[in-house]
Amino acid sequence: MFSRILIANRGEIAIRIIRACREMGIETVTVYSEADRDSMHVRLADDAICIGPPPAVESYLNITNIIAAAEIADVDAVHPGYGFLSENSNFSEICHSCNIDFIGPSSESLLLMGDKARARKLAREVGIRILPGNDEPFETDEEALKLAHQIGFPVILKAAMGGGGRGMRVARNDVSLVNSINVARAEAQAAFKDPTIYIEKYLENARHIEIQVLADRHGKILHLGERDCTLQRRHQKLVEESPSPALNPEIRKAMGEAAVSIARAARYVNAGTVEFLLDAEGNFYFIEMNCRVQVEHPVTEMVTGVDIVREQLKIASGQPLAFEQKDVQLQGVAIECRINAEDPENKFRPCPNRITAWFPPGGPGVRLDTHAHAGMLVSSYYDSLVAKLIVHRKTRDECIVGMRRALGEFIIEGIKTTIPLYEQIFGHARFVRGLVNTTFVEDVFTH
Ligand code: ADP
């Protein structure tokens, strides 16, 4: 096992990794930008190294500085968390060339799955359904129109290198398609430095269901069941739960097996997530694989009892997975709310202010993953996630009651947060009955 690792991240996920390491007797060295000098992840790690000014490109995305920090700190491995460099094949390769293990999949898997069109091809080759679309990117508007007519409207334009819901546009006719192409390309270029986009059939009334997989270096691949991430805004997740109220045991089994076969075909190692869209008839379609720990991993941890970050560390150090698929049982129901420093009354505008009062909820079945506290300045340089509130109870109804209670006692002052939106969602009959789709939040609560 590693004796000392570098955490190339910040915020709640850096703390989550520190927690796993501390329980395993692994020393942690974290990096931080000048804006994060007083952050909780810096205080909680054994050591911390400043890697540059506040903008992420100069610090958390600065490979040269992070590798230099890893060398100075003399670590065995780097945990990239999520976001930032977590799916950067170049970064993982440089780590390896410096004799530092990268706690994640190989750079080949990252390259393959980082290109959504290649990932689609792979899924099709192993017999997993994908939505109709073009695997080769198109060049001209005419080509795009021809493809859209072949596929049939509505279609969705997506950035080939996309992530975080950016660079995505739904088009319902010729005019909106042509108008959307340039916007999607520009967004893709700005966000991913690559304007390549492709077209896919847009699935109406869909649910987003994803499968957590774990793969060791010895060829064993297991899955930890599903997470239902249907509640989204602008294709970005807000609420996640496990198990999904929309799956029966047959679909769950088929989806789990499909995820494992895709991971196997990609020669995947470490923790990863295979994402699907589910239609109203119970058909599911592969959309992408995320090659890192996910923001929403705690709901899976709560229902399976598996510590996913611990497993990541064990796998990266060469240990085999010590349990079998039959040992994975989903116990109870867990739901997570992503609490962002955003104003839901004002188009979800980020609120990067100082937190003046902070009283976190607790009690039975409540877990809070956060780096925030009273007095903390929410930085405008990074994402607006301030806490993940997770409730785990025996049944979905009890979980919803528990979440309402926990949201109600959470005191956060000085910033606006998404808590009022969640209070409305958790009181809405469609959510309570499990009858939602990916446009539910936008259709019902935001205009
Ligand atoms: P990203 O990598 O940016 O998160 P994904 O491919 O995972 O993008 O898609 C994010 C979300 O966008 C999905 O959960 C879903 O709500 C929506 N979406 C993506 N592709 C489709 C599609 N073909 N039809 C309907 N919705 C889609």
mmCIF file of all heavy atoms in Angstrom, residues 1-8 26 66-67 70-71 74-81 85-86 88 91-107 110 217 269-270 312-319:
data_model
loop_
_atom_site.group_PDB
_atom_site.id
_atom_site.type_symbol
_atom_site.label_atom_id
_atom_site.label_comp_id
_atom_site.label_asym_id
_atom_site.label_seq_id
_atom_site.Cartn_x
_atom_site.Cartn_y
_atom_site.Cartn_z
ATOM 1 N N MET A 1 0.852 -1.208 0.000
ATOM 2 C CA MET A 1 0.000 0.000 0.000
ATOM 3 C C MET A 1 0.886 1.257 0.000
ATOM 4 O O MET A 1 2.005 1.226 0.490
ATOM 5 C CB MET A 1 -0.916 -0.055 1.234
ATOM 6 C CG MET A 1 -1.896 1.077 1.409
ATOM 7 S SD MET A 1 -2.718 1.716 -0.066
ATOM 8 C CE MET A 1 -3.891 0.405 -0.413
ATOM 9 N N PHE A 2 0.334 2.331 -0.564
ATOM 10 C CA PHE A 2 1.088 3.582 -0.598
ATOM 11 C C PHE A 2 1.333 4.066 0.833
ATOM 12 O O PHE A 2 0.532 3.812 1.732
ATOM 13 C CB PHE A 2 0.289 4.670 -1.327
ATOM 14 C CG PHE A 2 -0.165 4.269 -2.698
ATOM 15 C CD1 PHE A 2 -1.517 4.310 -3.054
ATOM 16 C CD2 PHE A 2 0.763 3.854 -3.658
ATOM 17 C CE1 PHE A 2 -1.945 3.943 -4.314
ATOM 18 C CE2 PHE A 2 0.337 3.488 -4.932
ATOM 19 C CZ PHE A 2 -1.015 3.532 -5.255
ATOM 20 N N SER A 3 2.446 4.807 1.038
ATOM 21 C CA SER A 3 2.622 5.378 2.376
ATOM 22 C C SER A 3 2.306 6.869 2.374
ATOM 23 O O SER A 3 1.966 7.446 3.416
ATOM 24 C CB SER A 3 4.035 5.117 2.900
ATOM 25 O OG SER A 3 4.973 5.643 2.009
ATOM 26 N N ARG A 4 2.368 7.514 1.170
ATOM 27 C CA ARG A 4 2.149 8.970 1.126
ATOM 28 C C ARG A 4 1.645 9.329 -0.261
ATOM 29 O O ARG A 4 2.251 8.926 -1.271
ATOM 30 C CB ARG A 4 3.524 9.595 1.385
ATOM 31 C CG ARG A 4 3.595 11.067 1.546
ATOM 32 C CD ARG A 4 5.032 11.359 2.028
ATOM 33 N NE ARG A 4 5.440 12.727 1.811
ATOM 34 C CZ ARG A 4 5.215 13.713 2.682
ATOM 35 N NH1 ARG A 4 4.583 13.485 3.815
ATOM 36 N NH2 ARG A 4 5.633 14.930 2.430
ATOM 37 N N ILE A 5 0.539 10.034 -0.347
ATOM 38 C CA ILE A 5 0.020 10.422 -1.665
ATOM 39 C C ILE A 5 -0.214 11.924 -1.744
ATOM 40 O O ILE A 5 -0.380 12.601 -0.723
ATOM 41 C CB ILE A 5 -1.294 9.674 -2.044
ATOM 42 C CG1 ILE A 5 -2.478 10.152 -1.191
ATOM 43 C CG2 ILE A 5 -1.136 8.153 -1.966
ATOM 44 C CD1 ILE A 5 -3.821 9.939 -1.865
ATOM 45 N N LEU A 6 -0.247 12.417 -2.986
ATOM 46 C CA LEU A 6 -0.584 13.823 -3.234
ATOM 47 C C LEU A 6 -2.037 13.895 -3.689
ATOM 48 O O LEU A 6 -2.472 13.078 -4.518
ATOM 49 C CB LEU A 6 0.317 14.398 -4.334
ATOM 50 C CG LEU A 6 0.141 15.903 -4.564
ATOM 51 C CD1 LEU A 6 1.137 16.679 -3.688
ATOM 52 C CD2 LEU A 6 0.390 16.279 -6.025
ATOM 53 N N ILE A 7 -2.766 14.856 -3.186
ATOM 54 C CA ILE A 7 -4.147 15.061 -3.627
ATOM 55 C C ILE A 7 -4.167 16.290 -4.521
ATOM 56 O O ILE A 7 -3.908 17.408 -4.060
ATOM 57 C CB ILE A 7 -5.091 15.217 -2.419
ATOM 58 C CG1 ILE A 7 -5.045 13.938 -1.567
ATOM 59 C CG2 ILE A 7 -6.519 15.523 -2.890
ATOM 60 C CD1 ILE A 7 -5.672 14.071 -0.202
ATOM 61 N N ALA A 8 -4.445 16.067 -5.796
ATOM 62 C CA ALA A 8 -4.390 17.168 -6.768
ATOM 63 C C ALA A 8 -5.789 17.751 -6.957
ATOM 64 O O ALA A 8 -6.356 17.726 -8.056
ATOM 65 C CB ALA A 8 -3.824 16.663 -8.088
ATOM 66 N N ILE A 26 -2.369 6.241 5.478
ATOM 67 C CA ILE A 26 -1.604 6.843 4.384
ATOM 68 C C ILE A 26 -1.452 8.345 4.660
ATOM 69 O O ILE A 26 -2.436 9.017 4.970
ATOM 70 C CB ILE A 26 -2.339 6.636 3.035
ATOM 71 C CG1 ILE A 26 -2.546 5.149 2.754
ATOM 72 C CG2 ILE A 26 -1.592 7.315 1.884
ATOM 73 C CD1 ILE A 26 -3.483 4.872 1.574
ATOM 74 N N ILE A 66 2.066 20.887 -10.408
ATOM 75 C CA ILE A 66 1.573 19.766 -9.588
ATOM 76 C C ILE A 66 2.602 18.633 -9.560
ATOM 77 O O ILE A 66 2.860 18.041 -8.508
ATOM 78 C CB ILE A 66 0.183 19.305 -10.085
ATOM 79 C CG1 ILE A 66 -0.838 20.407 -9.765
ATOM 80 C CG2 ILE A 66 -0.229 17.990 -9.424
ATOM 81 C CD1 ILE A 66 -2.224 20.175 -10.325
ATOM 82 N N ILE A 67 3.210 18.362 -10.698
ATOM 83 C CA ILE A 67 4.240 17.312 -10.722
ATOM 84 C C ILE A 67 5.441 17.737 -9.855
ATOM 85 O O ILE A 67 5.993 16.931 -9.097
ATOM 86 C CB ILE A 67 4.691 17.010 -12.176
ATOM 87 C CG1 ILE A 67 3.524 16.405 -12.976
ATOM 88 C CG2 ILE A 67 5.918 16.098 -12.202
ATOM 89 C CD1 ILE A 67 3.141 14.979 -12.615
ATOM 90 N N ALA A 70 4.549 17.069 -6.384
ATOM 91 C CA ALA A 70 4.582 15.625 -6.086
ATOM 92 C C ALA A 70 6.019 15.164 -5.871
ATOM 93 O O ALA A 70 6.302 14.335 -4.994
ATOM 94 C CB ALA A 70 3.921 14.838 -7.218
ATOM 95 N N GLU A 71 6.943 15.725 -6.659
ATOM 96 C CA GLU A 71 8.350 15.320 -6.523
ATOM 97 C C GLU A 71 8.943 15.858 -5.219
ATOM 98 O O GLU A 71 9.613 15.120 -4.498
ATOM 99 C CB GLU A 71 9.138 15.807 -7.728
ATOM 100 C CG GLU A 71 8.559 15.193 -9.003
ATOM 101 C CD GLU A 71 9.593 14.730 -9.990
ATOM 102 O OE1 GLU A 71 10.235 15.615 -10.555
ATOM 103 O OE2 GLU A 71 9.721 13.505 -10.179
ATOM 104 N N ASP A 74 7.687 13.951 -2.406
ATOM 105 C CA ASP A 74 8.159 12.565 -2.434
ATOM 106 C C ASP A 74 7.024 11.564 -2.168
ATOM 107 O O ASP A 74 7.094 10.757 -1.246
ATOM 108 C CB ASP A 74 9.293 12.397 -1.396
ATOM 109 C CG ASP A 74 10.073 11.121 -1.645
ATOM 110 O OD1 ASP A 74 10.007 10.595 -2.772
ATOM 111 O OD2 ASP A 74 10.727 10.628 -0.700
ATOM 112 N N VAL A 75 5.986 11.686 -2.983
ATOM 113 C CA VAL A 75 4.819 10.812 -2.795
ATOM 114 C C VAL A 75 4.902 9.579 -3.702
ATOM 115 O O VAL A 75 5.629 9.574 -4.693
ATOM 116 C CB VAL A 75 3.504 11.578 -3.101
ATOM 117 C CG1 VAL A 75 3.276 12.692 -2.102
ATOM 118 C CG2 VAL A 75 3.489 12.117 -4.528
ATOM 119 N N ASP A 76 4.124 8.544 -3.343
ATOM 120 C CA ASP A 76 4.070 7.332 -4.164
ATOM 121 C C ASP A 76 3.049 7.469 -5.281
ATOM 122 O O ASP A 76 3.138 6.799 -6.298
ATOM 123 C CB ASP A 76 3.616 6.123 -3.313
ATOM 124 C CG ASP A 76 4.427 5.963 -2.054
ATOM 125 O OD1 ASP A 76 5.655 6.122 -2.127
ATOM 126 O OD2 ASP A 76 3.818 5.700 -0.986
ATOM 127 N N ALA A 77 2.028 8.296 -5.047
ATOM 128 C CA ALA A 77 0.914 8.324 -5.996
ATOM 129 C C ALA A 77 0.183 9.659 -5.922
ATOM 130 O O ALA A 77 0.336 10.407 -4.952
ATOM 131 C CB ALA A 77 -0.065 7.190 -5.663
ATOM 132 N N VAL A 78 -0.620 9.924 -6.951
ATOM 133 C CA VAL A 78 -1.445 11.135 -6.991
ATOM 134 C C VAL A 78 -2.906 10.732 -7.110
ATOM 135 O O VAL A 78 -3.268 9.918 -7.971
ATOM 136 C CB VAL A 78 -1.073 12.022 -8.199
ATOM 137 C CG1 VAL A 78 -2.072 13.161 -8.363
ATOM 138 C CG2 VAL A 78 0.330 12.590 -8.052
ATOM 139 N N HIS A 79 -3.768 11.287 -6.253
ATOM 140 C CA HIS A 79 -5.214 11.116 -6.427
ATOM 141 C C HIS A 79 -5.760 12.403 -7.038
ATOM 142 O O HIS A 79 -5.636 13.471 -6.437
ATOM 143 C CB HIS A 79 -5.902 10.831 -5.089
ATOM 144 C CG HIS A 79 -7.280 10.252 -5.282
ATOM 145 N ND1 HIS A 79 -8.220 10.857 -6.094
ATOM 146 C CD2 HIS A 79 -7.849 9.109 -4.823
ATOM 147 C CE1 HIS A 79 -9.325 10.118 -6.103
ATOM 148 N NE2 HIS A 79 -9.128 9.045 -5.349
ATOM 149 N N PRO A 80 -6.373 12.311 -8.233
ATOM 150 C CA PRO A 80 -6.824 13.547 -8.883
ATOM 151 C C PRO A 80 -8.232 13.991 -8.497
ATOM 152 O O PRO A 80 -8.658 15.073 -8.952
ATOM 153 C CB PRO A 80 -6.779 13.165 -10.364
ATOM 154 C CG PRO A 80 -7.158 11.707 -10.365
ATOM 155 C CD PRO A 80 -6.593 11.130 -9.091
ATOM 156 N N GLY A 81 -8.974 13.188 -7.703
ATOM 157 C CA GLY A 81 -10.356 13.578 -7.370
ATOM 158 C C GLY A 81 -11.236 13.565 -8.606
ATOM 159 O O GLY A 81 -11.096 12.688 -9.463
ATOM 160 N N LEU A 85 -7.779 17.731 -13.304
ATOM 161 C CA LEU A 85 -6.950 16.865 -14.173
ATOM 162 C C LEU A 85 -7.354 15.393 -14.102
ATOM 163 O O LEU A 85 -6.636 14.527 -14.601
ATOM 164 C CB LEU A 85 -5.481 17.011 -13.760
ATOM 165 C CG LEU A 85 -4.888 18.414 -13.965
ATOM 166 C CD1 LEU A 85 -3.506 18.510 -13.322
ATOM 167 C CD2 LEU A 85 -4.788 18.738 -15.464
ATOM 168 N N SER A 86 -8.523 15.122 -13.490
ATOM 169 C CA SER A 86 -8.846 13.720 -13.195
ATOM 170 C C SER A 86 -8.980 12.848 -14.433
ATOM 171 O O SER A 86 -8.748 11.647 -14.365
ATOM 172 C CB SER A 86 -10.126 13.647 -12.360
ATOM 173 O OG SER A 86 -11.204 14.234 -13.061
ATOM 174 N N ASN A 88 -7.433 13.595 -17.454
ATOM 175 C CA ASN A 88 -6.453 14.106 -18.401
ATOM 176 C C ASN A 88 -5.385 13.026 -18.644
ATOM 177 O O ASN A 88 -4.565 12.731 -17.768
ATOM 178 C CB ASN A 88 -5.849 15.387 -17.800
ATOM 179 C CG ASN A 88 -4.905 16.070 -18.745
ATOM 180 O OD1 ASN A 88 -4.030 15.433 -19.326
ATOM 181 N ND2 ASN A 88 -5.048 17.371 -18.884
ATOM 182 N N PHE A 91 -1.742 14.044 -18.182
ATOM 183 C CA PHE A 91 -1.328 14.143 -16.778
ATOM 184 C C PHE A 91 -1.008 12.753 -16.213
ATOM 185 O O PHE A 91 0.015 12.552 -15.560
ATOM 186 C CB PHE A 91 -2.427 14.831 -15.958
ATOM 187 C CG PHE A 91 -2.117 14.950 -14.489
ATOM 188 C CD1 PHE A 91 -1.004 15.640 -14.051
ATOM 189 C CD2 PHE A 91 -2.962 14.369 -13.537
ATOM 190 C CE1 PHE A 91 -0.708 15.755 -12.693
ATOM 191 C CE2 PHE A 91 -2.674 14.483 -12.183
ATOM 192 C CZ PHE A 91 -1.547 15.174 -11.766
ATOM 193 N N SER A 92 -1.868 11.789 -16.496
ATOM 194 C CA SER A 92 -1.631 10.444 -15.939
ATOM 195 C C SER A 92 -0.342 9.856 -16.519
ATOM 196 O O SER A 92 0.427 9.202 -15.812
ATOM 197 C CB SER A 92 -2.829 9.532 -16.175
ATOM 198 O OG SER A 92 -2.784 8.958 -17.447
ATOM 199 N N GLU A 93 -0.088 10.149 -17.791
ATOM 200 C CA GLU A 93 1.133 9.624 -18.419
ATOM 201 C C GLU A 93 2.382 10.263 -17.798
ATOM 202 O O GLU A 93 3.365 9.574 -17.532
ATOM 203 C CB GLU A 93 1.081 9.952 -19.914
ATOM 204 C CG GLU A 93 1.622 8.854 -20.783
ATOM 205 C CD GLU A 93 1.280 9.156 -22.237
ATOM 206 O OE1 GLU A 93 0.125 8.887 -22.610
ATOM 207 O OE2 GLU A 93 2.147 9.668 -22.941
ATOM 208 N N ILE A 94 2.307 11.568 -17.562
ATOM 209 C CA ILE A 94 3.458 12.261 -16.955
ATOM 210 C C ILE A 94 3.709 11.722 -15.539
ATOM 211 O O ILE A 94 4.841 11.491 -15.145
ATOM 212 C CB ILE A 94 3.252 13.794 -16.950
ATOM 213 C CG1 ILE A 94 3.227 14.302 -18.398
ATOM 214 C CG2 ILE A 94 4.342 14.505 -16.166
ATOM 215 C CD1 ILE A 94 2.815 15.754 -18.565
ATOM 216 N N CYS A 95 2.635 11.486 -14.790
ATOM 217 C CA CYS A 95 2.793 10.891 -13.449
ATOM 218 C C CYS A 95 3.586 9.592 -13.559
ATOM 219 O O CYS A 95 4.575 9.389 -12.854
ATOM 220 C CB CYS A 95 1.432 10.605 -12.810
ATOM 221 S SG CYS A 95 0.565 12.075 -12.281
ATOM 222 N N HIS A 96 3.139 8.725 -14.488
ATOM 223 C CA HIS A 96 3.812 7.427 -14.622
ATOM 224 C C HIS A 96 5.267 7.594 -15.015
ATOM 225 O O HIS A 96 6.144 6.899 -14.495
ATOM 226 C CB HIS A 96 3.077 6.541 -15.628
ATOM 227 C CG HIS A 96 1.789 6.011 -15.078
ATOM 228 N ND1 HIS A 96 1.723 5.283 -13.914
ATOM 229 C CD2 HIS A 96 0.510 6.135 -15.503
ATOM 230 C CE1 HIS A 96 0.463 4.980 -13.650
ATOM 231 N NE2 HIS A 96 -0.300 5.489 -14.598
ATOM 232 N N SER A 97 5.522 8.544 -15.935
ATOM 233 C CA SER A 97 6.917 8.709 -16.383
ATOM 234 C C SER A 97 7.795 9.256 -15.256
ATOM 235 O O SER A 97 9.012 9.160 -15.315
ATOM 236 C CB SER A 97 6.981 9.596 -17.634
ATOM 237 O OG SER A 97 6.623 10.901 -17.265
ATOM 238 N N CYS A 98 7.175 9.824 -14.232
ATOM 239 C CA CYS A 98 7.943 10.305 -13.070
ATOM 240 C C CYS A 98 7.914 9.275 -11.939
ATOM 241 O O CYS A 98 8.236 9.606 -10.780
ATOM 242 C CB CYS A 98 7.364 11.618 -12.552
ATOM 243 S SG CYS A 98 7.464 12.954 -13.727
ATOM 244 N N ASN A 99 7.458 8.056 -12.276
ATOM 245 C CA ASN A 99 7.402 6.995 -11.265
ATOM 246 C C ASN A 99 6.431 7.270 -10.131
ATOM 247 O O ASN A 99 6.662 6.898 -8.984
ATOM 248 C CB ASN A 99 8.786 6.760 -10.651
ATOM 249 C CG ASN A 99 9.425 5.571 -11.305
ATOM 250 O OD1 ASN A 99 8.720 4.683 -11.798
ATOM 251 N ND2 ASN A 99 10.741 5.588 -11.347
ATOM 252 N N ILE A 100 5.360 7.976 -10.464
ATOM 253 C CA ILE A 100 4.318 8.264 -9.480
ATOM 254 C C ILE A 100 3.049 7.582 -9.990
ATOM 255 O O ILE A 100 2.679 7.768 -11.146
ATOM 256 C CB ILE A 100 4.077 9.792 -9.364
ATOM 257 C CG1 ILE A 100 5.370 10.501 -8.912
ATOM 258 C CG2 ILE A 100 2.928 10.111 -8.431
ATOM 259 C CD1 ILE A 100 5.350 12.007 -9.121
ATOM 260 N N ASP A 101 2.416 6.779 -9.153
ATOM 261 C CA ASP A 101 1.189 6.113 -9.609
ATOM 262 C C ASP A 101 0.054 7.122 -9.711
ATOM 263 O O ASP A 101 -0.076 8.021 -8.878
ATOM 264 C CB ASP A 101 0.789 4.994 -8.642
ATOM 265 C CG ASP A 101 1.608 3.735 -8.886
ATOM 266 O OD1 ASP A 101 1.784 3.366 -10.059
ATOM 267 O OD2 ASP A 101 2.089 3.140 -7.892
ATOM 268 N N PHE A 102 -0.778 6.937 -10.732
ATOM 269 C CA PHE A 102 -1.966 7.781 -10.924
ATOM 270 C C PHE A 102 -3.153 6.961 -10.416
ATOM 271 O O PHE A 102 -3.378 5.840 -10.900
ATOM 272 C CB PHE A 102 -2.106 8.107 -12.417
ATOM 273 C CG PHE A 102 -3.332 8.903 -12.761
ATOM 274 C CD1 PHE A 102 -3.362 10.281 -12.571
ATOM 275 C CD2 PHE A 102 -4.455 8.273 -13.296
ATOM 276 C CE1 PHE A 102 -4.500 11.010 -12.902
ATOM 277 C CE2 PHE A 102 -5.589 8.996 -13.628
ATOM 278 C CZ PHE A 102 -5.612 10.378 -13.428
ATOM 279 N N ILE A 103 -3.888 7.486 -9.450
ATOM 280 C CA ILE A 103 -4.994 6.714 -8.867
ATOM 281 C C ILE A 103 -6.225 6.907 -9.756
ATOM 282 O O ILE A 103 -7.059 7.781 -9.548
ATOM 283 C CB ILE A 103 -5.216 7.120 -7.395
ATOM 284 C CG1 ILE A 103 -3.919 6.825 -6.621
ATOM 285 C CG2 ILE A 103 -6.406 6.350 -6.788
ATOM 286 C CD1 ILE A 103 -3.839 7.460 -5.260
ATOM 287 N N GLY A 104 -6.265 6.057 -10.777
ATOM 288 C CA GLY A 104 -7.306 6.135 -11.798
ATOM 289 C C GLY A 104 -6.950 5.144 -12.896
ATOM 290 O O GLY A 104 -6.005 4.369 -12.739
ATOM 291 N N PRO A 105 -7.696 5.173 -13.990
ATOM 292 C CA PRO A 105 -7.424 4.220 -15.071
ATOM 293 C C PRO A 105 -6.164 4.590 -15.862
ATOM 294 O O PRO A 105 -5.536 5.615 -15.622
ATOM 295 C CB PRO A 105 -8.665 4.345 -15.949
ATOM 296 C CG PRO A 105 -9.180 5.705 -15.685
ATOM 297 C CD PRO A 105 -8.834 6.036 -14.272
ATOM 298 N N SER A 106 -5.826 3.734 -16.833
ATOM 299 C CA SER A 106 -4.645 3.979 -17.670
ATOM 300 C C SER A 106 -4.896 5.182 -18.575
ATOM 301 O O SER A 106 -6.048 5.548 -18.840
ATOM 302 C CB SER A 106 -4.363 2.753 -18.538
ATOM 303 O OG SER A 106 -5.412 2.624 -19.484
ATOM 304 N N SER A 107 -3.823 5.755 -19.097
ATOM 305 C CA SER A 107 -4.007 6.894 -20.003
ATOM 306 C C SER A 107 -4.712 6.452 -21.284
ATOM 307 O O SER A 107 -5.441 7.232 -21.893
ATOM 308 C CB SER A 107 -2.680 7.588 -20.288
ATOM 309 O OG SER A 107 -1.737 6.672 -20.696
ATOM 310 N N LEU A 110 -8.357 6.548 -20.563
ATOM 311 C CA LEU A 110 -8.798 7.946 -20.466
ATOM 312 C C LEU A 110 -8.963 8.554 -21.858
ATOM 313 O O LEU A 110 -9.941 9.264 -22.124
ATOM 314 C CB LEU A 110 -7.784 8.778 -19.666
ATOM 315 C CG LEU A 110 -7.748 8.529 -18.154
ATOM 316 C CD1 LEU A 110 -6.583 9.280 -17.522
ATOM 317 C CD2 LEU A 110 -9.056 8.955 -17.493
ATOM 318 N N ARG A 217 -6.556 -4.635 -11.032
ATOM 319 C CA ARG A 217 -5.521 -4.858 -12.047
ATOM 320 C C ARG A 217 -5.400 -6.316 -12.438
ATOM 321 O O ARG A 217 -4.541 -6.688 -13.226
ATOM 322 C CB ARG A 217 -4.167 -4.399 -11.486
ATOM 323 C CG ARG A 217 -4.045 -2.908 -11.374
ATOM 324 C CD ARG A 217 -2.577 -2.563 -11.562
ATOM 325 N NE ARG A 217 -2.282 -1.262 -11.038
ATOM 326 C CZ ARG A 217 -1.128 -0.929 -10.473
ATOM 327 N NH1 ARG A 217 -0.168 -1.826 -10.355
ATOM 328 N NH2 ARG A 217 -0.921 0.289 -10.050
ATOM 329 N N VAL A 269 -9.415 0.017 -15.462
ATOM 330 C CA VAL A 269 -8.956 -0.294 -14.109
ATOM 331 C C VAL A 269 -9.309 0.885 -13.208
ATOM 332 O O VAL A 269 -9.215 2.030 -13.628
ATOM 333 C CB VAL A 269 -7.421 -0.546 -14.086
ATOM 334 C CG1 VAL A 269 -6.909 -0.667 -12.661
ATOM 335 C CG2 VAL A 269 -7.073 -1.807 -14.864
ATOM 336 N N ASN A 270 -9.678 0.597 -11.969
ATOM 337 C CA ASN A 270 -10.054 1.561 -10.924
ATOM 338 C C ASN A 270 -11.569 1.830 -10.926
ATOM 339 O O ASN A 270 -12.333 1.063 -11.493
ATOM 340 C CB ASN A 270 -9.240 2.850 -10.994
ATOM 341 C CG ASN A 270 -8.965 3.409 -9.602
ATOM 342 O OD1 ASN A 270 -9.840 3.932 -8.956
ATOM 343 N ND2 ASN A 270 -7.752 3.238 -9.122
ATOM 344 N N GLN A 312 -10.413 2.611 -4.456
ATOM 345 C CA GLN A 312 -9.551 3.224 -5.484
ATOM 346 C C GLN A 312 -8.079 3.117 -5.086
ATOM 347 O O GLN A 312 -7.223 2.807 -5.915
ATOM 348 C CB GLN A 312 -9.879 4.720 -5.634
ATOM 349 C CG GLN A 312 -11.164 5.019 -6.351
ATOM 350 C CD GLN A 312 -11.194 6.503 -6.739
ATOM 351 O OE1 GLN A 312 -11.314 7.360 -5.873
ATOM 352 N NE2 GLN A 312 -11.054 6.775 -8.017
ATOM 353 N N LEU A 313 -7.808 3.410 -3.811
ATOM 354 C CA LEU A 313 -6.424 3.372 -3.325
ATOM 355 C C LEU A 313 -5.888 1.943 -3.345
ATOM 356 O O LEU A 313 -4.751 1.696 -3.752
ATOM 357 C CB LEU A 313 -6.359 3.956 -1.912
ATOM 358 C CG LEU A 313 -6.580 5.478 -1.845
ATOM 359 C CD1 LEU A 313 -7.114 5.914 -0.500
ATOM 360 C CD2 LEU A 313 -5.269 6.213 -2.160
ATOM 361 N N LYS A 314 -6.734 0.990 -2.933
ATOM 362 C CA LYS A 314 -6.300 -0.410 -2.913
ATOM 363 C C LYS A 314 -6.013 -0.906 -4.324
ATOM 364 O O LYS A 314 -5.010 -1.558 -4.591
ATOM 365 C CB LYS A 314 -7.368 -1.286 -2.233
ATOM 366 C CG LYS A 314 -7.367 -1.112 -0.714
ATOM 367 C CD LYS A 314 -8.593 -1.681 -0.043
ATOM 368 C CE LYS A 314 -8.649 -3.188 -0.087
ATOM 369 N NZ LYS A 314 -9.809 -3.689 0.706
ATOM 370 N N ILE A 315 -6.926 -0.576 -5.249
ATOM 371 C CA ILE A 315 -6.754 -1.019 -6.632
ATOM 372 C C ILE A 315 -5.469 -0.438 -7.225
ATOM 373 O O ILE A 315 -4.665 -1.145 -7.829
ATOM 374 C CB ILE A 315 -7.975 -0.604 -7.497
ATOM 375 C CG1 ILE A 315 -9.206 -1.416 -7.100
ATOM 376 C CG2 ILE A 315 -7.661 -0.769 -8.991
ATOM 377 C CD1 ILE A 315 -10.519 -0.876 -7.665
ATOM 378 N N ALA A 316 -5.260 0.865 -7.022
ATOM 379 C CA ALA A 316 -4.080 1.527 -7.619
ATOM 380 C C ALA A 316 -2.778 0.974 -7.053
ATOM 381 O O ALA A 316 -1.751 0.980 -7.723
ATOM 382 C CB ALA A 316 -4.166 3.038 -7.393
ATOM 383 N N SER A 317 -2.832 0.453 -5.814
ATOM 384 C CA SER A 317 -1.601 -0.105 -5.249
ATOM 385 C C SER A 317 -1.439 -1.576 -5.623
ATOM 386 O O SER A 317 -0.516 -2.236 -5.153
ATOM 387 C CB SER A 317 -1.579 0.073 -3.728
ATOM 388 O OG SER A 317 -2.497 -0.823 -3.138
ATOM 389 N N GLY A 318 -2.349 -2.088 -6.434
ATOM 390 C CA GLY A 318 -2.191 -3.445 -6.964
ATOM 391 C C GLY A 318 -2.972 -4.522 -6.242
ATOM 392 O O GLY A 318 -2.912 -5.697 -6.609
ATOM 393 N N GLN A 319 -3.739 -4.147 -5.220
ATOM 394 C CA GLN A 319 -4.481 -5.175 -4.484
ATOM 395 C C GLN A 319 -5.705 -5.644 -5.273
ATOM 396 O O GLN A 319 -6.351 -4.839 -5.946
ATOM 397 C CB GLN A 319 -4.934 -4.621 -3.134
ATOM 398 C CG GLN A 319 -3.782 -4.323 -2.202
ATOM 399 C CD GLN A 319 -4.258 -3.848 -0.828
ATOM 400 O OE1 GLN A 319 -5.349 -4.179 -0.383
ATOM 401 N NE2 GLN A 319 -3.413 -3.082 -0.171
#
